[in-house]
Structure formats: structure tokens, C-alpha cells
Amino acid sequence: MGYEEALRRIEKAKETGATELDLFDQELTELPLGLFQLKQLTKLDLSGNNLTELPPAIIHLTNLTRLNLSSNNLTGLPFVIEQLTSLTTLSLGGNTLTELPSVVGRLTNLFFLEAWDCNLKHLPCELFEMNSLIQLVLDNNQLTHLPHQVKQLINLSKLELSYNQLTSLPPEILELPNLEELYLFGNPLTSPPIEIAEQGIEAIHNYFADLEGDKKELAEAKVILVGEGASGKTSLTRLLRNEPFNENEPMTHGIRIKQWKTAGQDREIRCKLWDFGGQEIMQATHQFFLSRRSLYVLVLDGRKDERTEHWLRCIETFGGDSPVLVVLNKQDVNPGFDLNRPFLQKKYPFIKGFFRTSCHIEQGVEAFTQALCEELDKVPLTRNLWPASWFRAKEKLEEMDEPRISYEKFENICLQAKVQDESSRTVLAEFLHDLGVIIHFTDF
């Protein structure tokens, strides 16, 4: 292992005239000078070392076609690397580049470029001049947008962009004639919605085709209040709607659904407040109505038999990564009530805040309401751009009096609204379920 092992391998390659050399995981901080005498090399693997720079002497390896520099500590590349004109494969993943060196764009014969986990925040314009690229791997970076110039990569067949910070894709991505694989998992996409993007290029194409007509943001969400019976969920709902506190509020049996509108940073957001009865006999049915892409409010009042983690586990199971606000209610009656907040926040990272309130004397309600509005504005579903056809289908379903319809009838309603693509209808059904417009399950 280490430098001496690297010297041994280099010497052996010199003796045998080997065209491939593997110096993977040798803990190298610098490269032996003898390496640059191996002009016959076509493949060189330097991954998994501790290199902070690539020596300019690399230009002596003029026959290199494949160079693996991944998992080092490189912050850049020497400009002379552009002279390695035979390179077809370059792997840079797992370095600390923060930006892709523009010199890479001058490697005009490159077919495969890999730069995953490099903390990249943007892409150089030179990258889009590399129309020889067939595969481009940019997973696990900090990219917030993909330039429309991506359409210039006309030979690209595989593009990996998973686990970045992309909120939208340029429609020009559909102009890539050879693109067969597009990976976008783990991005906060709203246009197209990530649920559409994950279905592949055809689904994305159909979505953008639908968007060519009228379109607008959904700006709607479902707020779900859960907790033990008599904890104050209904009273909190009343105050949100500017209704007076009712000291004799009857206990909720089943679910109460109320409309509410609130102002986000730059728009009005329409909400349905789902107030769940907390009696144990009702809790078995919660799983049918708890949904993803929602905002949860867990209301507690400090009683001894209160099961804080039970409710948080339920939300985690059925709500996915939906955010949660925890309300410590009835502070006028139980002012000493609190929770182990650091423990819960670490164990359940979807908790966005804790709020001490009293609905009776309206203590802390204003601060809670402000936080609720701020979190609603961040719910990705509210930012989704919907085609007019999706809204037409939604409105038709909202007008219906029938308690239950078949999926076939749902599809007919969608078709009448001009939601033609099957993948769009599938995603729309999921969204409408999460909004509480319909109740629809695909797992049975």
C-alpha cells in the first residue's frame, strides 16, 4: 500500500508495456514522477487517494482515453489537461471542486463525464459545447437550475441529476434527440412535478405538452390536525378562521373539514383544515385519511396519558416527509408543560417548530399562525404548475355529490377535461388524494 506500492506498479507497467494502470486507494498525496514516463497508458485510475492537485506533467500521457480522478481532494484541474485530446472518459466525482473547471469543456472527444458529489452550484457554459458527450453524471450536487443550453448536447443518451436542488426543468431538455435515460430523484421539482419526472422522458414530454395552454400554480394544501381527544384541535381551527372561542365546544367525532385562506409571501394559499377526532376508536381510521404532501399540526395539552411519539410515528408512516408543527396547548391550565424538544427534533427531523398556546385566552396563537403560513408557503405541492386540464378535472370532481365512483369514471372525467396521458391521470389522482379532494389508494 502507499507510495512504495505505487512505485512498484509503475515500474512493472514500464517493464511490461502495460496500457492500463491502477493506483486506486493508495493514500497518495502526490504522484511519482515515473508515472509520466508511461506514454503508452490508455487507462489510468487514480481514484480514492488524497491528491489536492493534478500535476501539469499529466500532458505527457497523450494516449490516455480514460482517466479516473474520483474521491480525491482536488479543487481544480490544470489548464494543460485540454491537451489530452484522446480522452473519452473523465471521472471527477467526490472531489471538492464547487464548480466544474471550464477547461473540461475543451475536451471535445469526451463521451463520458462524471462529476457527482462535488458541491457544484452551477455549470460552465463551456460544458454545453461538448456535443460529443453521451453520458453526463451530476448527481448529489447543489445545482438549482439546468440552463436551456442543455439542448446543445445532441448526442447525450444518459443524464443523471438526482439529489440536486432543481425546482424546474427547461422544456429544451425535450429537444435532445438521443436522450433515453434521465434521473431526477431527490430534487424539489415543481415543474414538472417530481412525480411526473420520475416516470421518465415520455411523461415529462406529455406534461410540457399540456402546459402549452393555460397554466397556473396550484397554491392549495391540506392541513391535518391530530392529537388526543379534547386537546384543543377544534378550538385552534376556530381561531385560525377568526371564529370566537367556544368554551363548550363539543368533542369532534370523525373528521371536520373547514376551508381556510391564508396569505403566503407572494400569493394566497387555499387550505382545507382537517380536524381529526382524537378518541381511540377513531384512530384506527386515521391511516385512510393521513396523506403525503400535507402540513401536519400535532396538538398536545400535557396530560399524563398523552402519546407524543405515537402521533409522530403515525405522521412519519403516512405523511412521508410532510412538515409538522407541534402545539403545546392549554398553557393557561398547564403552564409548566413542555417536551424534550432537542430529542424529538433529532429523532423526527420533519418537526419544524414547537409553539406554546392557549386558545382560551388566545395566547401564542398569532405566532403559531404566522409559522403555519410560512410553512404552507414551502409545501412543494403548492408550487406545482398545473395545466388548465388538471384544474378542470379537479373542479368537476369537487362539484360531484356521489360519495363513491369507480376509477374508470375518474378516468372518463379526466379525459373529458383533456387530461389525455395515463401517467398524468395517475399523478393527478395522487395529488387530489393528498389535497383531500378524493380518497384514492393504489396499494390495495
Side-chain angles (χ1 to χ4, degrees):
M1 293 290 289
Y3 196 80
E4 291 187 1
E5 173 63 17
L7 288 174
R8 187 190 68 78
R9 294 184 185 185
I10 290 170
E11 190 61 31
K12 183 177 179 181
K14 186 184 299 183
E15 293 173 358
T16 61
T19 59
E20 298 185 4
L21 179 60
D22 178 6
L23 297 180
F24 165 73
D25 201 16
Q26 297 299 307
E27 301 180 358
L28 298 176
T29 57
E30 60 181 6
L31 297 175
L33 293 177
L35 170 64
F36 306 113
Q37 299 173 10
L38 304 179
K39 297 185 178 181
Q40 78 279 7
L41 287 182
T42 60
K43 178 183 177 182
L44 176 60
D45 187 349
L46 296 172
S47 61
N49 285 291
N50 297 312
L51 301 175
T52 57
E53 62 179 3
L54 186 66
I58 193 74
I59 62 170
H60 296 299
L61 305 182
T62 55
N63 290 307
L64 277 183
T65 60
R66 290 183 288 177
L67 177 59
N68 190 346
L69 297 168
S70 60
S71 301
N72 277 282
N73 296 311
L74 299 175
T75 58
L77 294 175
F79 283 106
V80 294
I81 200 173
E82 67 181 342
Q83 297 182 36
L84 299 181
T85 55
S86 297
L87 271 185
T88 60
T89 298
L90 178 60
S91 300
L92 297 171
N95 282 285
T96 53
L97 297 175
T98 68
E99 62 181 20
L100 195 61
S102 59
V103 68
V104 171
R106 301 191 183 100
L107 298 171
T108 55
N109 290 315
L110 212 59
F111 295 153
F112 179 94
L113 176 59
E114 188 177 66
W116 45 265
D117 198 16
C118 288
N119 202 32
L120 302 179
K121 294 179 174 61
H122 65 273
L123 300 173
C125 57
E126 289 85 356
L127 173 67
F128 304 105
E129 297 173 6
M130 302 173 68
N131 54 24
S132 60
L133 275 182
I134 296 175
Q135 295 187 23
L136 178 58
V137 180
L138 298 169
D139 294 332
N140 212 29
N141 283 292
Q142 299 295 319
L143 300 174
T144 57
H145 77 284
L146 186 64
H148 64 87
Q149 289 94 334
V150 69
K151 66 181 180 181
Q152 297 170 203
L153 304 178
I154 56 175
N155 287 303
L156 204 62
S157 66
K158 182 177 182 180
L159 177 57
E160 298 191 29
L161 292 164
S162 295
Y163 303 104
N164 277 278
Q165 299 298 318
L166 299 173
T167 58
S168 64
L169 292 180
E172 288 84 358
I173 200 168
L174 299 175
E175 298 181 30
L176 295 173
N178 296 300
L179 189 62
E180 297 177 350
E181 298 178 70
L182 177 61
Y183 298 96
L184 295 158
F185 303 102
N187 282 284
L189 281 171
T190 58
S191 179
I194 187 62
E195 294 81 1
I196 290 284
E198 288 178 351
Q199 293 187 46
I201 297 168
E202 184 178 354
I204 295 173
H205 186 279
N206 291 328
Y207 171 82
F208 279 121
D210 288 341
L211 280 186
E212 289 178 358
D214 293 335
K215 54 188 176 290
K216 62 178 180 178
E217 275 188 348
L218 175 62
E220 187 170 336
K222 180 179 178 182
V223 178
I224 301 175
L225 292 93
V226 296
E228 304 291 342
S231 60
K233 299 183 294 295
T234 301
S235 295
L236 193 59
T237 300
R238 290 179 64 87
L239 292 180
L240 286 173
R241 287 163 44 86
N242 294 317
E243 297 174 356
F245 175 77
N246 181 3
E247 194 165 353
N248 300 309
E249 187 73 56
M251 189 172 292
T252 301
H253 295 279
I255 304 171
R256 293 180 181 177
I257 303 174
K258 299 291 185 179
Q259 303 288 336
W260 183 50
K261 292 182 180 180
T262 181
Q265 290 184 348
D266 54 1
R267 66 212 171 118
E268 183 180 75
I269 301 176
R270 299 181 305 280
C271 303
K272 287 186 174 69
L273 302 172
W274 286 56
D275 173 10
F276 278 70
Q279 302 87 347
E280 190 168 348
I281 193 172
M282 306 302 305
Q283 293 173 21
T285 64
H286 283 173
Q287 61 181 302
F288 299 112
F289 303 99
L290 301 182
S291 56
R292 300 182 300 157
R293 308 179 186 89
S294 304
L295 176 58
Y296 284 79
V297 178
L298 172 57
V299 184
L300 308 168
D301 65 0
R303 69 190 77 179
K304 290 184 179 179
D305 59 347
E306 205 159 37
R307 300 166 298 165
T308 302
E309 288 204 68
H310 161 78
W311 292 106
L312 290 170
R313 286 193 296 269
C314 283
I315 294 169
E316 186 175 39
T317 300
F318 300 109
D321 57 357
S322 296
V324 179
L325 302 180
V326 179
V327 174
L328 313 179
N329 198 29
K330 300 189 179 180
Q331 290 292 306
D332 57 318
V333 177
N334 192 1
F337 167 49
D338 208 338
L339 299 168
N340 187 341
R341 301 187 188 191
F343 167 79
L344 292 174
Q345 196 109 45
K346 183 176 180 180
K347 188 172 181 179
Y348 304 98
F350 48 80
I351 295 176
K352 300 302 179 182
F354 297 84
F355 303 88
R356 303 171 71 92
T357 64
S358 167
C359 294
H360 190 189
I361 59 175
E362 298 190 21
Q363 172 187 328
V365 175
E366 184 177 348
F368 164 71
T369 303
Q370 181 179 346
L372 182 63
C373 294
E374 290 174 359
E375 286 301 325
L376 275 170
D377 205 40
K378 299 174 187 175
V379 174
L381 184 57
T382 69
R383 293 285 180 181
N384 280 354
L385 204 59
W386 277 24
S389 58
W390 290 25
F391 281 103
R392 287 195 296 269
K394 173 177 175 289
E395 290 165 4
K396 178 65 177 177
L397 290 162
E398 289 175 323
E399 293 169 358
M400 297 181 68
D401 294 326
E402 299 174 58
R404 179 174 59 86
I405 62 172
S406 66
Y407 190 77
E408 289 73 19
K409 185 166 184 177
F410 166 77
E411 286 196 310
N412 288 333
I413 291 171
C414 289
L415 288 169
Q416 291 171 12
K418 306 300 183 185
V419 185
Q420 305 287 2
D421 179 54
E422 182 178 358
S423 62
S424 293
R425 295 195 296 271
T426 299
V427 170
L428 181 58
E430 293 180 14
F431 285 171
L432 294 176
H433 172 86
D434 292 337
L435 287 171
V437 176
I438 64 174
I439 303 298
H440 170 65
F441 300 99
T442 58
D443 299 333
F444 293 103

mmCIF file with all atom_site columns, all heavy atoms in Angstrom, residues 368-383:
data_model
loop_
_atom_site.group_PDB
_atom_site.id
_atom_site.type_symbol
_atom_site.label_atom_id
_atom_site.label_alt_id
_atom_site.label_comp_id
_atom_site.label_asym_id
_atom_site.label_entity_id
_atom_site.label_seq_id
_atom_site.pdbx_PDB_ins_code
_atom_site.Cartn_x
_atom_site.Cartn_y
_atom_site.Cartn_z
_atom_site.occupancy
_atom_site.B_iso_or_equiv
_atom_site.pdbx_formal_charge
_atom_site.auth_seq_id
_atom_site.auth_comp_id
_atom_site.auth_asym_id
_atom_site.auth_atom_id
_atom_site.pdbx_PDB_model_num
ATOM 1   N N   . PHE A 1 368 ? -48.085 31.148 16.262 1.00 0.00 ? 368 PHE A N   1
ATOM 2   C CA  . PHE A 1 368 ? -48.323 29.869 15.602 1.00 0.00 ? 368 PHE A CA  1
ATOM 3   C C   . PHE A 1 368 ? -48.897 30.073 14.202 1.00 0.00 ? 368 PHE A C   1
ATOM 4   O O   . PHE A 1 368 ? -48.473 29.423 13.244 1.00 0.00 ? 368 PHE A O   1
ATOM 5   C CB  . PHE A 1 368 ? -49.279 29.018 16.439 1.00 0.00 ? 368 PHE A CB  1
ATOM 6   C CG  . PHE A 1 368 ? -49.879 27.871 15.667 1.00 0.00 ? 368 PHE A CG  1
ATOM 7   C CD1 . PHE A 1 368 ? -49.099 26.775 15.306 1.00 0.00 ? 368 PHE A CD1 1
ATOM 8   C CD2 . PHE A 1 368 ? -51.210 27.901 15.272 1.00 0.00 ? 368 PHE A CD2 1
ATOM 9   C CE1 . PHE A 1 368 ? -49.638 25.730 14.573 1.00 0.00 ? 368 PHE A CE1 1
ATOM 10  C CE2 . PHE A 1 368 ? -51.759 26.864 14.539 1.00 0.00 ? 368 PHE A CE2 1
ATOM 11  C CZ  . PHE A 1 368 ? -50.969 25.777 14.186 1.00 0.00 ? 368 PHE A CZ  1
ATOM 12  N N   . THR A 1 369 ? -49.856 30.976 14.075 1.00 0.00 ? 369 THR A N   1
ATOM 13  C CA  . THR A 1 369 ? -50.481 31.228 12.771 1.00 0.00 ? 369 THR A CA  1
ATOM 14  C C   . THR A 1 369 ? -49.454 31.714 11.759 1.00 0.00 ? 369 THR A C   1
ATOM 15  O O   . THR A 1 369 ? -49.453 31.293 10.598 1.00 0.00 ? 369 THR A O   1
ATOM 16  C CB  . THR A 1 369 ? -51.610 32.261 12.912 1.00 0.00 ? 369 THR A CB  1
ATOM 17  O OG1 . THR A 1 369 ? -52.569 31.795 13.863 1.00 0.00 ? 369 THR A OG1 1
ATOM 18  C CG2 . THR A 1 369 ? -52.307 32.491 11.577 1.00 0.00 ? 369 THR A CG2 1
ATOM 19  N N   . GLN A 1 370 ? -48.569 32.596 12.181 1.00 0.00 ? 370 GLN A N   1
ATOM 20  C CA  . GLN A 1 370 ? -47.526 33.103 11.283 1.00 0.00 ? 370 GLN A CA  1
ATOM 21  C C   . GLN A 1 370 ? -46.614 31.969 10.817 1.00 0.00 ? 370 GLN A C   1
ATOM 22  O O   . GLN A 1 370 ? -46.287 31.870 9.630  1.00 0.00 ? 370 GLN A O   1
ATOM 23  C CB  . GLN A 1 370 ? -46.709 34.190 11.980 1.00 0.00 ? 370 GLN A CB  1
ATOM 24  C CG  . GLN A 1 370 ? -45.611 34.782 11.096 1.00 0.00 ? 370 GLN A CG  1
ATOM 25  C CD  . GLN A 1 370 ? -44.838 35.882 11.797 1.00 0.00 ? 370 GLN A CD  1
ATOM 26  O OE1 . GLN A 1 370 ? -45.250 36.399 12.836 1.00 0.00 ? 370 GLN A OE1 1
ATOM 27  N NE2 . GLN A 1 370 ? -43.692 36.257 11.231 1.00 0.00 ? 370 GLN A NE2 1
ATOM 28  N N   . ALA A 1 371 ? -46.220 31.102 11.752 1.00 0.00 ? 371 ALA A N   1
ATOM 29  C CA  . ALA A 1 371 ? -45.364 29.971 11.384 1.00 0.00 ? 371 ALA A CA  1
ATOM 30  C C   . ALA A 1 371 ? -46.095 29.011 10.458 1.00 0.00 ? 371 ALA A C   1
ATOM 31  O O   . ALA A 1 371 ? -45.501 28.465 9.517  1.00 0.00 ? 371 ALA A O   1
ATOM 32  C CB  . ALA A 1 371 ? -44.913 29.239 12.648 1.00 0.00 ? 371 ALA A CB  1
ATOM 33  N N   . LEU A 1 372 ? -47.368 28.814 10.702 1.00 0.00 ? 372 LEU A N   1
ATOM 34  C CA  . LEU A 1 372 ? -48.167 27.938 9.836  1.00 0.00 ? 372 LEU A CA  1
ATOM 35  C C   . LEU A 1 372 ? -48.210 28.476 8.411  1.00 0.00 ? 372 LEU A C   1
ATOM 36  O O   . LEU A 1 372 ? -48.036 27.723 7.442  1.00 0.00 ? 372 LEU A O   1
ATOM 37  C CB  . LEU A 1 372 ? -49.578 27.818 10.411 1.00 0.00 ? 372 LEU A CB  1
ATOM 38  C CG  . LEU A 1 372 ? -50.558 26.906 9.669  1.00 0.00 ? 372 LEU A CG  1
ATOM 39  C CD1 . LEU A 1 372 ? -50.079 25.462 9.683  1.00 0.00 ? 372 LEU A CD1 1
ATOM 40  C CD2 . LEU A 1 372 ? -51.955 27.012 10.281 1.00 0.00 ? 372 LEU A CD2 1
ATOM 41  N N   . CYS A 1 373 ? -48.409 29.779 8.274  1.00 0.00 ? 373 CYS A N   1
ATOM 42  C CA  . CYS A 1 373 ? -48.438 30.403 6.943  1.00 0.00 ? 373 CYS A CA  1
ATOM 43  C C   . CYS A 1 373 ? -47.084 30.259 6.245  1.00 0.00 ? 373 CYS A C   1
ATOM 44  O O   . CYS A 1 373 ? -47.022 29.974 5.040  1.00 0.00 ? 373 CYS A O   1
ATOM 45  C CB  . CYS A 1 373 ? -48.816 31.877 7.047  1.00 0.00 ? 373 CYS A CB  1
ATOM 46  S SG  . CYS A 1 373 ? -50.498 32.179 7.611  1.00 0.00 ? 373 CYS A SG  1
ATOM 47  N N   . GLU A 1 374 ? -46.009 30.442 6.990  1.00 0.00 ? 374 GLU A N   1
ATOM 48  C CA  . GLU A 1 374 ? -44.675 30.331 6.402  1.00 0.00 ? 374 GLU A CA  1
ATOM 49  C C   . GLU A 1 374 ? -44.397 28.910 5.928  1.00 0.00 ? 374 GLU A C   1
ATOM 50  O O   . GLU A 1 374 ? -43.821 28.704 4.853  1.00 0.00 ? 374 GLU A O   1
ATOM 51  C CB  . GLU A 1 374 ? -43.622 30.774 7.418  1.00 0.00 ? 374 GLU A CB  1
ATOM 52  C CG  . GLU A 1 374 ? -43.649 32.269 7.707  1.00 0.00 ? 374 GLU A CG  1
ATOM 53  C CD  . GLU A 1 374 ? -42.698 32.664 8.821  1.00 0.00 ? 374 GLU A CD  1
ATOM 54  O OE1 . GLU A 1 374 ? -42.035 31.756 9.382  1.00 0.00 ? 374 GLU A OE1 1
ATOM 55  O OE2 . GLU A 1 374 ? -42.616 33.870 9.145  1.00 0.00 ? 374 GLU A OE2 1
ATOM 56  N N   . GLU A 1 375 ? -44.792 27.918 6.711  1.00 0.00 ? 375 GLU A N   1
ATOM 57  C CA  . GLU A 1 375 ? -44.564 26.526 6.315  1.00 0.00 ? 375 GLU A CA  1
ATOM 58  C C   . GLU A 1 375 ? -45.444 26.128 5.146  1.00 0.00 ? 375 GLU A C   1
ATOM 59  O O   . GLU A 1 375 ? -45.027 25.369 4.266  1.00 0.00 ? 375 GLU A O   1
ATOM 60  C CB  . GLU A 1 375 ? -44.797 25.587 7.496  1.00 0.00 ? 375 GLU A CB  1
ATOM 61  C CG  . GLU A 1 375 ? -43.690 25.624 8.534  1.00 0.00 ? 375 GLU A CG  1
ATOM 62  C CD  . GLU A 1 375 ? -42.327 25.257 7.969  1.00 0.00 ? 375 GLU A CD  1
ATOM 63  O OE1 . GLU A 1 375 ? -42.253 24.385 7.070  1.00 0.00 ? 375 GLU A OE1 1
ATOM 64  O OE2 . GLU A 1 375 ? -41.329 25.848 8.416  1.00 0.00 ? 375 GLU A OE2 1
ATOM 65  N N   . LEU A 1 376 ? -46.674 26.634 5.111  1.00 0.00 ? 376 LEU A N   1
ATOM 66  C CA  . LEU A 1 376 ? -47.556 26.343 3.982  1.00 0.00 ? 376 LEU A CA  1
ATOM 67  C C   . LEU A 1 376 ? -46.943 26.830 2.673  1.00 0.00 ? 376 LEU A C   1
ATOM 68  O O   . LEU A 1 376 ? -47.055 26.177 1.637  1.00 0.00 ? 376 LEU A O   1
ATOM 69  C CB  . LEU A 1 376 ? -48.921 27.008 4.189  1.00 0.00 ? 376 LEU A CB  1
ATOM 70  C CG  . LEU A 1 376 ? -49.940 26.237 5.016  1.00 0.00 ? 376 LEU A CG  1
ATOM 71  C CD1 . LEU A 1 376 ? -51.139 27.117 5.329  1.00 0.00 ? 376 LEU A CD1 1
ATOM 72  C CD2 . LEU A 1 376 ? -50.390 24.989 4.261  1.00 0.00 ? 376 LEU A CD2 1
ATOM 73  N N   . ASP A 1 377 ? -46.298 27.978 2.730  1.00 0.00 ? 377 ASP A N   1
ATOM 74  C CA  . ASP A 1 377 ? -45.692 28.551 1.533  1.00 0.00 ? 377 ASP A CA  1
ATOM 75  C C   . ASP A 1 377 ? -44.561 27.686 1.006  1.00 0.00 ? 377 ASP A C   1
ATOM 76  O O   . ASP A 1 377 ? -44.170 27.793 -0.157 1.00 0.00 ? 377 ASP A O   1
ATOM 77  C CB  . ASP A 1 377 ? -45.174 29.954 1.857  1.00 0.00 ? 377 ASP A CB  1
ATOM 78  C CG  . ASP A 1 377 ? -45.097 30.839 0.625  1.00 0.00 ? 377 ASP A CG  1
ATOM 79  O OD1 . ASP A 1 377 ? -46.007 30.778 -0.211 1.00 0.00 ? 377 ASP A OD1 1
ATOM 80  O OD2 . ASP A 1 377 ? -44.112 31.581 0.497  1.00 0.00 ? 377 ASP A OD2 1
ATOM 81  N N   . LYS A 1 378 ? -44.003 26.802 1.871  1.00 0.00 ? 378 LYS A N   1
ATOM 82  C CA  . LYS A 1 378 ? -42.888 25.953 1.477  1.00 0.00 ? 378 LYS A CA  1
ATOM 83  C C   . LYS A 1 378 ? -43.326 24.567 1.010  1.00 0.00 ? 378 LYS A C   1
ATOM 84  O O   . LYS A 1 378 ? -42.501 23.815 0.492  1.00 0.00 ? 378 LYS A O   1
ATOM 85  C CB  . LYS A 1 378 ? -41.920 25.788 2.655  1.00 0.00 ? 378 LYS A CB  1
ATOM 86  C CG  . LYS A 1 378 ? -41.307 27.086 3.158  1.00 0.00 ? 378 LYS A CG  1
ATOM 87  C CD  . LYS A 1 378 ? -40.481 26.824 4.414  1.00 0.00 ? 378 LYS A CD  1
ATOM 88  C CE  . LYS A 1 378 ? -39.993 28.104 5.058  1.00 0.00 ? 378 LYS A CE  1
ATOM 89  N NZ  . LYS A 1 378 ? -39.296 27.830 6.335  1.00 0.00 ? 378 LYS A NZ  1
ATOM 90  N N   . VAL A 1 379 ? -44.583 24.213 1.235  1.00 0.00 ? 379 VAL A N   1
ATOM 91  C CA  . VAL A 1 379 ? -45.049 22.883 0.825  1.00 0.00 ? 379 VAL A CA  1
ATOM 92  C C   . VAL A 1 379 ? -44.915 22.772 -0.691 1.00 0.00 ? 379 VAL A C   1
ATOM 93  O O   . VAL A 1 379 ? -45.534 23.554 -1.428 1.00 0.00 ? 379 VAL A O   1
ATOM 94  C CB  . VAL A 1 379 ? -46.506 22.645 1.267  1.00 0.00 ? 379 VAL A CB  1
ATOM 95  C CG1 . VAL A 1 379 ? -47.031 21.328 0.698  1.00 0.00 ? 379 VAL A CG1 1
ATOM 96  C CG2 . VAL A 1 379 ? -46.605 22.630 2.787  1.00 0.00 ? 379 VAL A CG2 1
ATOM 97  N N   . PRO A 1 380 ? -44.100 21.830 -1.211 1.00 0.00 ? 380 PRO A N   1
ATOM 98  C CA  . PRO A 1 380 ? -43.836 21.779 -2.657 1.00 0.00 ? 380 PRO A CA  1
ATOM 99  C C   . PRO A 1 380 ? -45.089 21.683 -3.517 1.00 0.00 ? 380 PRO A C   1
ATOM 100 O O   . PRO A 1 380 ? -45.142 22.270 -4.601 1.00 0.00 ? 380 PRO A O   1
ATOM 101 C CB  . PRO A 1 380 ? -42.954 20.523 -2.806 1.00 0.00 ? 380 PRO A CB  1
ATOM 102 C CG  . PRO A 1 380 ? -42.287 20.373 -1.482 1.00 0.00 ? 380 PRO A CG  1
ATOM 103 C CD  . PRO A 1 380 ? -43.305 20.820 -0.470 1.00 0.00 ? 380 PRO A CD  1
ATOM 104 N N   . LEU A 1 381 ? -46.102 20.971 -3.033 1.00 0.00 ? 381 LEU A N   1
ATOM 105 C CA  . LEU A 1 381 ? -47.307 20.791 -3.838 1.00 0.00 ? 381 LEU A CA  1
ATOM 106 C C   . LEU A 1 381 ? -47.960 22.123 -4.178 1.00 0.00 ? 381 LEU A C   1
ATOM 107 O O   . LEU A 1 381 ? -48.533 22.291 -5.251 1.00 0.00 ? 381 LEU A O   1
ATOM 108 C CB  . LEU A 1 381 ? -48.296 19.891 -3.085 1.00 0.00 ? 381 LEU A CB  1
ATOM 109 C CG  . LEU A 1 381 ? -49.592 19.511 -3.821 1.00 0.00 ? 381 LEU A CG  1
ATOM 110 C CD1 . LEU A 1 381 ? -49.287 18.820 -5.138 1.00 0.00 ? 381 LEU A CD1 1
ATOM 111 C CD2 . LEU A 1 381 ? -50.462 18.614 -2.938 1.00 0.00 ? 381 LEU A CD2 1
ATOM 112 N N   . THR A 1 382 ? -47.852 23.099 -3.285 1.00 0.00 ? 382 THR A N   1
ATOM 113 C CA  . THR A 1 382 ? -48.481 24.399 -3.542 1.00 0.00 ? 382 THR A CA  1
ATOM 114 C C   . THR A 1 382 ? -47.790 25.152 -4.669 1.00 0.00 ? 382 THR A C   1
ATOM 115 O O   . THR A 1 382 ? -48.362 26.084 -5.236 1.00 0.00 ? 382 THR A O   1
ATOM 116 C CB  . THR A 1 382 ? -48.473 25.282 -2.275 1.00 0.00 ? 382 THR A CB  1
ATOM 117 O OG1 . THR A 1 382 ? -47.123 25.677 -1.972 1.00 0.00 ? 382 THR A OG1 1
ATOM 118 C CG2 . THR A 1 382 ? -49.070 24.536 -1.103 1.00 0.00 ? 382 THR A CG2 1
ATOM 119 N N   . ARG A 1 383 ? -46.541 24.766 -4.987 1.00 0.00 ? 383 ARG A N   1
ATOM 120 C CA  . ARG A 1 383 ? -45.791 25.438 -6.050 1.00 0.00 ? 383 ARG A CA  1
ATOM 121 C C   . ARG A 1 383 ? -45.896 24.712 -7.388 1.00 0.00 ? 383 ARG A C   1
ATOM 122 O O   . ARG A 1 383 ? -45.364 25.193 -8.391 1.00 0.00 ? 383 ARG A O   1
ATOM 123 C CB  . ARG A 1 383 ? -44.307 25.522 -5.649 1.00 0.00 ? 383 ARG A CB  1
ATOM 124 C CG  . ARG A 1 383 ? -44.035 26.427 -4.450 1.00 0.00 ? 383 ARG A CG  1
ATOM 125 C CD  . ARG A 1 383 ? -44.134 27.884 -4.827 1.00 0.00 ? 383 ARG A CD  1
ATOM 126 N NE  . ARG A 1 383 ? -43.872 28.757 -3.690 1.00 0.00 ? 383 ARG A NE  1
ATOM 127 C CZ  . ARG A 1 383 ? -43.922 30.081 -3.754 1.00 0.00 ? 383 ARG A CZ  1
ATOM 128 N NH1 . ARG A 1 383 ? -44.230 30.669 -4.887 1.00 0.00 ? 383 ARG A NH1 1
ATOM 129 N NH2 . ARG A 1 383 ? -43.686 30.817 -2.680 1.00 0.00 ? 383 ARG A NH2 1
#
